[in-house]
Amino acid sequence: MSRESQTSTKRLVTKLMLTVVGMFGFGFAMVPLYDVICDITGLNGKTGDQVVQQTETVMVGDREITVQFLAQNAAGMDWEFRANDPQVKVKPGEIKVVSYHASNSHNYIMTGQAIPSVAPNEAAQYLKKLECFCFQEQVLQPGESVDMGIRFFVDESIPEHITKLTLSYSLFDITDYEKPQAAVTLN
Amino acid sequence: MSAAHDDHHHGPAKGLSRWLFTTNHKDIGTLYLWFSFAMFLLGGSFAMVIRAELFQPGLQLVEPNFFNQMTTMHGLIMVFGAVMPAFVGLANWMIPMMIGAPDMALPRMNNWSFWILPFAFAMLSSTLLMDAGAPNFGWTFYAPLSTTYAPETVTFFIFAVHIMGASSIMGAINIIATVLNMRAPGMTLMKMPLFVWTWLITAYLLIAVMPVLAGVVTMMLFDIHFGTSFFNAAGGGDPVLFQHVFWFFGHPEVYIMILPAFGVISAIIPTFARKRLFGYDSMVYATASIAFLSFIVWAHHMFTVGMPIAGELFFMYATMLIAVPTGVKVFNWVATMFRGSMTFETPMLFAIAFVVLFTMGGFTGLMLAITPADFQYHDTYFVVAHFHYVLVPGAVFSIMAATYYWLPKWTGHMYDERLGKLHFWLSFIGVNILFFPQHFLGLAGMPRRIPDYALQFADFNWISSIGGFLFGASQLILLVVVIKCIKGGKKATAQVWDGAKGLEWTVASPAPYHTFTTPPNPDLIEAP
Amino acid sequence: MLPKAKLWLALTVAALTMLSTNLQAAWDLNMPQGVTQISRDTYDLHMQILWWCVAIGVVVFSVMIWSIVNHRKSKGAVPATFHESTKVEIVWTIIPFIILILMAVPATRVLTHAYDASESDLDIQITGYQWRWEYRYLRQNADEDEVSFFSNLSTSRDEINNTMPKQENYLLDVDNPLVIPINKKVRFLVTSNDVIHAWWVPDFAVKKDAIPGFINETWTIVEEPGVYRGQCAELCGIDHGFMPIVVHALPQDEYDAWYAGRQEQARAARAQANNVVTRDQAMATGEAIYNRTCVACHQAGGVGLAPAFPALAGSSVVNGDLTANIELVLHGVPGTAMASYARMLSPVELSGIVTYIRNSFGNSTGDLVQPADVNALLEAQ
Ligand SMILES: [Cu+2]
């Protein structure tokens, strides 16, 4: 190869290597990018973990929307976990308080984390939570039972065709086990 | 044409060190091709285990867990070990000779990019011997099955993927540098053979998406060993995110495995039709548009994850669009054959079979793009039939066509045409018995990746298995043909095929160790 | 893997039994038309596109075959010299594009319909587990009795391992099918307990991924009473092929009766929770549970599957402290495949399974666990 084409090859290879590094970074950038897209579109029914500030009930019209509450335990989590009310009817803008029940029948302290999800996922962005037990980890003493509250309202701008929405919580065990149990492989 | 190569350089070194330390593009091409064939047999033997277990309802030969390891390893080895290295091997051998370059632009990196591959696959395959067993979560390794629920050998898998990725990236950089900087005077971009064009575009795809694959396995590694939660819902992560990142790599990956095949077919059909390729320019543009579209269709693999309807529609329309440039290619090949003067040597037989069977895979691809219909097809044997039609009588047939086509140039001998034709016909019949009934299985409701099935699927499964054994056994003929051809046979001329055009046919057969150390006469370079 | 000799034996047996299987098998070639508006629309869409593809294929391949037959060198064909035509290229770009638009219109219509899950009459939560489904009927208020149950494969391991003839609905039968009323809009809320599964019933054209931490919705209106079968469609681990779905669609009155019966059962189970069981009862319950729930990992005879799944035969846990053993079954082992069964099995079933494993596979502790013992541990602390 001539010297000239050698330097141009070097320049080209440098550019290509930078592209490789850039695309590796892009793979990771997809993580926050995806979250942003989820927040905007309600993709996947994510409700966002921001606390909404609103203190006054502003009721709009007399539409009634049914909000259903689901609870389920993720694998390895066997607290008793259920919604105290299977469903409530709310008017857009009206602030409601409901609660979930959890109890730990183990003889050790456990930490749980509830992950919310909304169906239809289009509705996620209209469900505004003022207070939610999913904002914090839940630490339960051996044998302890708690009722955990949610204060929420449905935004007035919710589209007409949504008359029912489902708020579901999956409860995960995030106890930091000190024993090396977690190192045992699964299947 | 002996003026094209004044052979004043030294020849190859002797013994093992020739292969270990070689920087010669032909040697490295040969290494890639043999490695790929070995992986083809290994991945094929896993497929035989799968088809043997599915021969009858009930569990006969293997445990479900081992079955899952077989499907996973079969997919990984065929994609990353057989198909991709075969095309890199062909690129190494042919691209410098096609563009009149003395070697690849970065010969030492070339050596590296090959020699790390055997380590990657040794590492991956060794997991089969470990207590925890090989990866069993499918070649698509969806989280959390591949993270929280994975066997501990997943770490070997992750590092193997990293090494394969590094190898592919180095190979791609080398090809781009060679094509852009090493072309002989007179070899303008629009005079390059289509194989070079398709590989140039493929190499850009590789550079764009292999790092994303590296990224996704790195995130897995962090989730598994360092307590992050990229894909773990408990920590605020999202298993669906995994699929988005994976398929952002995975869909272009599909085209990485098929674009070079388009190039091979576009070389073979004109040769045996004795007629110029129809619509060269449109072929180049079609390839580029397919490559572009491959970046905006990934979520058609995920129509059932529960995307918003706007997303489903976008990915449906974008996917359907791919049919247009793909159709253009098929029409161009047919138009090339039309009013040609055809003969049907083995490479041409494989190429014609490619056009027909790849197109069938394309049709089912179009059907799969239709979102509501995909709800029925998704994750069934219909999908298995679809992608095997595209990859086996598609990509793999093109590799075999290329092998027969250029074998005389590589070895200096003509291969045994009778055996070649036998290999073709047995493969052609076998592959159709193997995969065609799988369309019916999928439509009738058989999910993919299951070790046992309900009784109504029994008939088509045993038919498919018989086809599988036939196809599998037939591939040994290829080995015999190649070895015979290396050992001897009728002397090949430089031209080899009377309709062949292009610089590679201006050098002697076998191609001397060093070719085009001085650039070819620009007048020899004509538009393909 | 098995040694070679066994492989040959298996192949021979397989070849011999092939004929008998043929008799049972149906030659299903095409997608089912199903029993819902959506499934019929999907079928029509599928056929329409299939025929488009066939038509295009016939045209293209006819030209190709005609060329292959007529334009061969052996027939003295002389190659033409044309090699491009912008006009032709434009034509065969535009025509496929128009065909695609013709396909996209009905596809968009069907998809929009399939995505409209609003105004449902009945909502059911479906949760995927390794490797079973749980169905939970959503209630209006808290004092209604809740109907929820697990649905497990009921095909016996003997059929799977070829030691017993395979029944008609081999691998497609469950102990507790999902029951829904016909002509009602049933909305499914799909999620998962562990890995990703997919709930699929071909006759409804409903397939939705069950994803841990997320809830997906889909729906159906079944128009004909009947039994409809499907399978998990997303690779979910070892027993992915063994978690079928069975749906009974009943007329409204029969459905109501079934639902009331289920509520009654729920009340009865609560009442029975402290009943005393005999050793035979406990062993029988336990054996049934073992073969349905435990055998996939711990294997027949309790021999386990090294290294991930420990043997129960001679196990120090099973032969050790009784309370510790019950607690392990109740709570599982975090970070392993051993799930927690406190909520998956009833106290009667739990007492049965522990009794069974402690007195089988060569284990002989002689323990008899009562439902009350289980309840005590569940409520303790
Ligand atoms: Cu599953």
Side-chain angles (χ1 to χ4, degrees):
Chain A
M1 251 191 288
S2 68
R3 164 151 310 162
E4 190 188 324
S5 85
Q6 254 172 4
T7 42
S8 80
T9 299
K10 231 177 237 165
R11 223 177 308 131
L12 178 62
V13 171
T14 314
K15 261 189 249 164
L16 293 174
M17 287 304 294
L18 286 176
T19 315
V20 168
V21 173
M23 287 309 293
F24 185 73
F26 175 76
F28 283 85
M30 281 177 86
V31 180
L33 218 61
Y34 178 76
D35 281 341
V36 170
I37 292 170
C38 286
D39 271 354
I40 297 169
T41 62
L43 179 70
N44 245 345
K46 289 188 176 188
T47 57
D49 41 17
Q50 251 69 58
V51 183
V52 180
Q53 298 298 339
Q54 175 159 359
T55 42
E56 262 178 73
T57 297
V58 201
M59 261 184 276
V60 178
D62 46 21
R63 285 177 65 195
E64 256 197 352
I65 291 165
T66 306
V67 183
Q68 299 169 315
F69 298 95
L70 297 188
Q72 79 261 342
N73 295 52
M77 178 48 134
D78 60 356
W79 287 3
E80 187 182 344
F81 179 53
R82 59 182 148 79
N84 287 327
D85 300 294
Q87 64 175 47
V88 295
K89 291 197 190 304
V90 296
K91 295 199 165 74
E94 175 190 7
I95 294 175
K96 274 269 180 188
V97 180
V98 295
S99 68
Y100 274 66
H101 176 86
S103 67
N104 171 15
S105 69
H106 288 257
N107 55 9
Y108 49 87
I109 303 172
M110 286 178 75
T111 312
Q113 171 70 55
I115 302 292
S117 179
V118 172
N121 46 43
E122 178 194 6
Q125 53 193 310
Y126 304 103
L127 185 80
K128 308 281 186 192
K129 287 180 288 187
L130 305 165
E131 244 177 71
C132 175
F133 60 91
C134 62
F135 293 155
Q136 303 100 31
E137 298 174 351
Q138 301 295 321
V139 180
L140 291 197
Q141 301 300 315
E144 187 185 353
S145 291
V146 287
D147 280 324
M148 309 173 294
I150 309 165
R151 235 152 58 84
F152 73 98
F153 66 94
V154 175
D155 198 280
E156 308 86 81
S157 58
I158 189 165
E160 286 290 326
H161 67 267
I162 302 178
T163 54
K164 177 154 69 181
L165 61 89
T166 308
L167 174 57
S168 159
Y169 287 96
S170 300
L171 188 68
F172 290 84
D173 178 9
I174 56 163
T175 311
D176 200 4
Y177 291 98
E178 277 173 19
K179 278 170 261 164
Q181 283 168 317
V184 182
T185 340
L186 306 175
N187 65 22
Chain B
M1 298 300 132
S2 59
H5 60 94
D6 45 344
D7 197 358
H8 54 81
H9 282 256
H10 58 85
K14 292 277 178 294
L16 190 64
S17 62
R18 163 177 177 182
W19 301 107
L20 273 178
F21 304 117
T22 184
T23 57
N24 179 289
H25 73 100
K26 299 186 184 80
D27 281 353
I28 292 172
T30 305
L31 285 170
Y32 265 111
L33 288 168
W34 276 113
F35 176 76
S36 144
F37 191 70
M39 288 296 117
F40 181 60
L41 293 185
L42 181 65
S45 65
F46 296 160
M48 294 298 106
V49 173
I50 294 169
R51 281 318 323 167
E53 178 53 55
L54 293 176
F55 187 63
Q56 282 285 285
L59 294 177
Q60 284 89 14
L61 304 175
V62 296
E63 296 295 332
N65 193 26
F66 189 73
F67 183 90
N68 289 348
Q69 296 174 28
M70 286 290 101
T71 54
T72 307
M73 295 292 278
H74 166 73
L76 291 170
I77 286 187
M78 286 306 199
V79 169
F80 296 104
V83 174
M84 291 170 68
F87 282 127
V88 180
L90 291 172
N92 262 295
W93 248 106
M94 302 318 299
I95 287 179
M97 294 207 310
M98 284 175 158
I99 60 172
D103 203 315
M104 297 293 279
L106 309 151
R108 232 161 300 170
M109 189 165 92
N110 209 7
N111 173 292
W112 269 101
S113 60
F114 172 77
W115 275 112
I116 58 177
L117 266 190
F119 289 99
F121 284 90
M123 190 192 286
L124 182 62
S125 307
S126 68
T127 57
L128 276 166
L129 309 172
M130 294 178 191
D131 277 348
N136 55 5
F137 32 66
W139 87 274
T140 51
F141 54 102
Y142 281 9
L145 191 62
S146 64
T147 52
T148 322
Y149 293 81
E152 57 199 356
T153 51
V154 63
T155 308
F156 289 88
F157 157 84
I158 289 172
F159 283 118
V161 169
H162 271 136
I163 299 174
M164 292 168 205
S167 161
S168 294
I169 289 168
M170 288 196 279
I173 290 178
N174 213 339
I175 286 166
I176 295 175
T178 307
V179 174
L180 294 188
N181 279 356
M182 307 269 294
R183 294 193 313 278
M187 178 59 77
T188 58
L189 283 177
M190 289 312 272
K191 278 188 178 176
M192 295 195 309
L194 261 173
F195 181 70
V196 181
W197 254 119
T198 53
W199 240 118
L200 179 64
I201 292 169
T202 302
Y204 275 110
L205 286 183
L206 279 167
I207 285 187
V209 301
M210 290 312 278
V212 177
L213 174 69
V216 77
V217 293
T218 306
M219 291 181 224
M220 279 171 64
L221 186 79
F222 275 68
D223 271 10
I224 294 167
H225 295 291
F226 306 112
T228 55
S229 292
F230 287 105
F231 309 131
N232 183 1
D238 186 340
V240 177
L241 170 66
F242 172 89
Q243 297 182 26
H244 281 290
V245 186
F246 176 81
W247 285 113
F248 185 85
F249 145 79
H251 199 79
E253 168 68 21
V254 174
Y255 292 100
I256 286 165
M257 292 191 284
I258 204 67
L259 293 184
F262 292 164
V264 168
I265 301 304
S266 303
I268 291 175
I269 289 181
T271 296
F272 295 94
R274 291 165 184 78
K275 184 161 158 274
R276 271 177 75 178
L277 180 70
F278 188 84
Y280 172 88
D281 294 11
S282 70
M283 284 296 218
V284 174
Y285 302 139
T287 310
S289 1
I290 292 174
F292 168 73
L293 286 173
S294 75
F295 285 105
I296 55 166
V297 297
W298 76 87
H300 67 212
H301 297 269
M302 308 163 51
F303 280 147
T304 62
V305 298
M307 271 184 291
I309 189 164
E312 305 264 291
L313 288 172
F314 172 79
F315 286 108
M316 171 168 80
Y317 299 149
T319 306
M320 292 171 77
L321 268 186
I322 293 187
V324 175
T326 314
V328 166
K329 287 190 161 288
V330 174
F331 301 145
N332 282 339
W333 289 322
V334 173
T336 307
M337 288 189 235
F338 183 70
R339 292 185 57 203
S341 173
M342 279 185 273
T343 52
F344 302 93
E345 289 85 347
T346 311
M348 183 61 162
L349 290 177
F350 273 108
I352 292 173
F354 172 96
V355 174
V356 176
L357 300 181
F358 170 79
T359 303
M360 279 173 48
F363 284 148
T364 49
L366 180 58
M367 296 170 76
L368 283 158
I370 309 294
T371 312
D374 181 75
F375 292 159
Q376 291 284 52
Y377 308 138
H378 178 72
D379 264 332
T380 69
Y381 260 80
F382 191 79
V383 177
V384 177
H386 156 71
F387 68 72
H388 279 97
Y389 259 89
V390 177
L391 284 175
V392 184
V396 172
F397 269 26
S398 84
I399 294 164
M400 287 170 182
T403 307
Y404 283 105
Y405 185 54
W406 284 310
L407 202 52
K409 181 57 63 191
W410 299 338
T411 64
H413 305 123
M414 297 306 286
Y415 59 86
D416 184 332
E417 189 66 53
R418 219 169 37 92
L419 272 183
K421 285 199 167 125
L422 179 72
H423 174 227
F424 167 75
W425 283 110
L426 289 179
S427 298
F428 179 78
I429 294 166
V431 90
N432 283 294
I433 299 177
L434 167 56
F435 294 122
F436 203 77
Q438 295 184 358
H439 292 113
F440 302 137
L441 284 173
L443 292 176
M446 179 168 163
R448 64 193 280 208
R449 294 167 164 166
I450 56 175
D452 192 8
Y453 47 80
L455 298 178
Q456 68 263 35
F457 307 130
D459 285 317
F460 287 123
N461 266 302
W462 74 253
I463 294 172
S464 177
S465 289
I466 301 265
F469 302 143
L470 175 63
F471 181 77
S474 312
Q475 302 322 308
L476 299 175
I477 303 174
L478 176 61
L479 184 63
V480 174
V481 173
V482 171
I483 290 174
K484 265 187 76 174
C485 188
I486 292 170
K487 287 201 164 155
K490 204 182 117 208
K491 277 265 163 268
T493 61
Q495 177 66 25
V496 183
W497 312 108
D498 60 355
K501 295 234 166 65
L503 289 177
E504 79 262 38
W505 307 107
T506 64
V507 302
S509 301
Y513 199 57
H514 297 283
T515 41
F516 298 119
T517 41
T518 54
N521 181 350
D523 299 337
L524 290 174
I525 299 167
E526 35 184 319
Chain C
M1 259 208 290
L2 301 178
K4 226 183 188 169
K6 258 190 176 168
L7 192 148
W8 280 113
L9 183 71
L11 284 180
T12 321
V13 173
L16 289 174
T17 50
M18 200 187 293
L19 275 175
S20 64
T21 340
N22 281 353
L23 297 177
Q24 298 169 20
W27 290 80
D28 283 327
L29 290 172
N30 206 350
M31 184 189 283
Q33 298 202 30
V35 288
T36 67
Q37 184 63 46
I38 297 283
S39 72
R40 281 192 303 273
D41 288 350
T42 304
Y43 173 84
D44 291 343
L45 202 54
H46 157 72
M47 290 312 289
Q48 187 191 340
I49 292 151
L50 179 65
W51 286 122
W52 271 119
C53 291
V54 169
I56 298 167
V58 166
V59 172
V60 174
F61 297 144
S62 303
V63 175
M64 196 180 95
I65 291 167
W66 193 78
S67 309
I68 288 174
V69 171
N70 293 293
H71 304 150
R72 45 174 69 212
K73 199 182 174 198
S74 57
K75 282 196 174 172
V78 179
T81 52
F82 67 85
H83 62 90
E84 60 189 345
S85 160
T86 314
K87 221 183 283 169
V88 173
E89 299 278 1
I90 289 174
V91 169
W92 67 38
T93 307
I94 303 272
I95 292 180
F97 192 76
I98 294 170
I99 296 175
L100 290 179
I101 292 174
L102 294 179
M103 292 177 182
V105 171
T108 306
R109 188 179 51 76
V110 177
L111 184 68
T112 312
H113 187 197
Y115 252 65
D116 178 14
S118 64
E119 307 293 333
S120 60
D121 301 305
L122 169 65
D123 296 7
I124 299 173
Q125 184 188 354
I126 299 176
T127 311
Y129 288 72
Q130 284 181 325
W131 293 275
R132 58 188 64 83
W133 296 98
E134 185 192 21
Y135 300 113
R136 189 182 298 177
Y137 291 68
L138 268 57
R139 300 170 294 172
Q140 308 282 331
N141 56 63
D143 30 85
E144 263 177 74
D145 281 299
E146 186 174 60
V147 174
S148 81
F149 51 87
F150 284 89
S151 183
N152 299 282
L153 175 73
S154 63
T155 301
S156 76
R157 286 279 148 180
D158 291 328
E159 287 175 60
I160 295 167
N161 292 326
N162 310 307
T163 52
M164 224 176 87
K166 297 182 185 5
Q167 309 289 313
E168 190 192 345
N169 289 310
Y170 175 67
L171 295 187
L172 295 178
D173 244 344
V174 297
D175 51 0
N176 295 306
L178 174 67
V179 178
I180 57 172
I182 56 166
N183 296 323
K184 285 283 156 71
K185 187 162 188 172
V186 183
R187 174 168 167 260
F188 301 117
L189 295 153
V190 188
T191 184
S192 168
N193 170 271
D194 35 50
V195 300
I196 300 178
H197 305 265
W199 195 83
W200 179 35
V201 178
D203 280 318
F204 305 167
V206 166
K207 184 184 284 152
K208 210 56 160 185
D209 288 0
I211 303 167
F214 296 89
I215 194 112
N216 256 329
E217 68 171 4
T218 183
W219 62 275
T220 193
I221 301 175
V222 179
E223 293 166 4
E224 279 169 51
V227 181
Y228 305 103
R229 295 170 200 278
Q231 285 178 267
C232 174
E234 180 62 59
L235 178 64
C236 57
I238 297 182
D239 273 359
H240 164 54
F242 304 92
M243 50 182 296
I245 294 146
V246 180
V247 183
H248 285 198
L250 300 179
Q252 185 68 45
D253 50 341
E254 288 176 42
Y255 168 79
D256 289 339
W258 172 85
Y259 190 78
R262 271 285 174 177
Q263 286 183 315
E264 183 55 45
Q265 270 181 32
R267 280 189 290 274
R270 266 206 312 276
Q272 269 171 20
N274 285 315
N275 281 7
V276 175
V277 294
T278 66
R279 179 173 298 274
D280 288 349
Q281 283 170 334
M283 288 296 281
T285 312
E287 187 175 4
I289 302 286
Y290 187 83
N291 289 329
R292 170 183 103 192
T293 308
C294 318
V295 75
C297 299
H298 292 297
Q299 302 288 304
V303 295
L305 193 59
F309 310 119
L312 299 184
S315 144
S316 59
V317 175
V318 177
N319 291 290
D321 178 52
L322 176 61
T323 308
N325 192 178
I326 300 176
E327 293 227 308
L328 192 144
V329 175
L330 286 184
H331 300 311
V333 183
T336 75
M338 182 63 198
S340 141
Y341 287 92
R343 317 255 157 249
M344 248 185 271
L345 300 174
S346 72
V348 176
E349 291 171 319
L350 286 162
S351 71
I353 187 64
V354 178
T355 306
Y356 178 71
I357 58 173
R358 293 177 74 85
N359 296 290
S360 305
F361 325 130
N363 304 331
S364 51
T365 56
D367 294 327
L368 169 60
V369 184
Q370 290 295 341
D373 303 337
V374 175
N375 270 324
L377 284 171
L378 279 174
E379 282 155 19
Q381 297 140 12

